[in-house]
Amino acid sequence: MTSASAPPAAAPVHQRVAELTATLIGSWQEGYLNDRSQAVAALARLRRGAGREAGEMPDLWNLIDTDGLHTSAAGTRTLGEQELVCAENALHAALTLWAFHQQSRGAPMHRRHTRERPGGLGAAVRRLMPADGVDEPVRKRLVRAGTAPDLVSLTQRLRDIVALLRREDIPLDYALLAGQLYLWQWPDGPAAVRRRWGRSFHEQRRPRPASDENISPDTDKDAS
């Protein structure tokens, strides 16, 4: 996948992607945790797309509702063709990774970032490590993801990280991740996202809390 030409600087498209991701996951996650058959079936379909290119699986075409990207609410503008492609790619990647993460977990694996409880990718990876040290193989997984040559390779490498987070019941802010995956696809985007992941990694210095339940959502879209 090649990088596109730069989008209009004033367009907060990554926020629109993040908000739509949060809306879709919020509904599915609640349904899944309450064992609603429709949500359980949707999650099973979604997780088969983890690490695969958007559009590769026709089974997901009528499941992932992208109408929010194609319509313009008050104060927003219509997205250009390349912006739509990048937004749909990011949405697909984030939703399918979440579904893989949530599988068979009894607690929400999508949790919004707050300054008190960082939810970025770097912070989640840091929580896989001892409080007083760095697990070098785990750190290298984050570095390897950051140096992926394209979005498909990146999502495949993120899937490996998500498998570790799933094993330890460590949640992630998938709305925040979706916005970052949108930015990744533009010139200079990979470098900017790597910096955010690095800041997020160093932001999480405390031992892992005993419980991640009952966390209030936050809308800090530009957090690391």
Side-chain angles (χ1 to χ4, degrees):
M1 183 179 298
T2 58
S3 295
S5 57
V13 183
H14 70 288
Q15 293 186 14
R16 292 173 64 173
V17 173
E19 289 162 3
L20 180 57
T21 301
T23 298
L24 293 173
I25 289 181
S27 176
W28 284 324
Q29 184 164 261
E30 180 186 9
Y32 181 79
L33 294 175
N34 286 284
D35 201 26
R36 296 175 190 151
S37 59
Q38 187 174 6
V40 171
L43 188 134
R45 291 166 63 187
L46 283 166
R47 68 173 178 260
R48 288 194 290 269
R52 303 176 71 173
E53 190 166 2
E56 185 178 342
M57 298 186 65
D59 183 49
L60 300 184
W61 292 352
N62 66 344
L63 179 63
I64 299 177
D65 183 359
T66 62
D67 284 355
L69 300 175
H70 293 266
T71 58
S72 298
T76 64
R77 61 176 177 79
T78 302
L79 300 185
E81 179 62 27
Q82 191 59 51
E83 289 174 313
L84 281 172
V85 169
C86 292
E88 290 171 353
N89 287 343
L91 183 68
H92 169 89
L95 293 177
T96 56
L97 286 169
W98 163 77
F100 173 66
H101 196 168
Q102 188 64 62
Q103 179 188 9
S104 301
R105 302 294 94 184
M109 293 295 102
H110 164 61
R111 189 197 74 198
R112 295 308 304 267
H113 168 93
T114 67
R115 295 196 181 279
E116 293 72 28
R117 293 200 177 216
L121 180 66
V125 169
R126 183 65 181 84
R127 292 177 62 197
L128 287 166
M129 304 180 188
D132 58 350
V134 173
D135 185 322
E136 197 59 27
V138 172
R139 188 192 68 83
K140 286 181 178 178
R141 285 181 182 270
L142 181 61
V143 172
R144 185 168 180 267
T147 57
D150 53 54
L151 186 64
V152 174
S153 299
L154 174 59
T155 55
Q156 291 168 348
R157 295 176 187 186
L158 288 176
R159 190 181 187 278
D160 293 339
I161 293 175
V162 168
L164 299 178
L165 299 177
R166 180 178 175 275
R167 185 181 66 191
E168 300 296 327
D169 284 330
I170 297 173
L172 185 64
D173 186 339
Y174 279 94
L176 180 61
L177 180 64
Q180 292 171 345
L181 294 179
Y182 172 82
L183 294 173
W184 177 277
Q185 298 170 78
W186 300 98
D188 301 322
V193 172
R194 283 195 296 268
R195 287 193 296 271
R196 294 185 184 195
W197 289 348
R199 288 197 301 270
S200 178
F201 180 87
H202 292 290
E203 185 179 22
Q204 177 65 46
R205 290 291 188 179
R206 295 164 296 185
R208 186 178 343 152
S211 173
D212 290 305
E213 298 179 359
N214 301 319
I215 303 301
S216 300
D218 187 85
T219 55
D220 185 1
K221 304 295 190 306
D222 295 320
S224 297

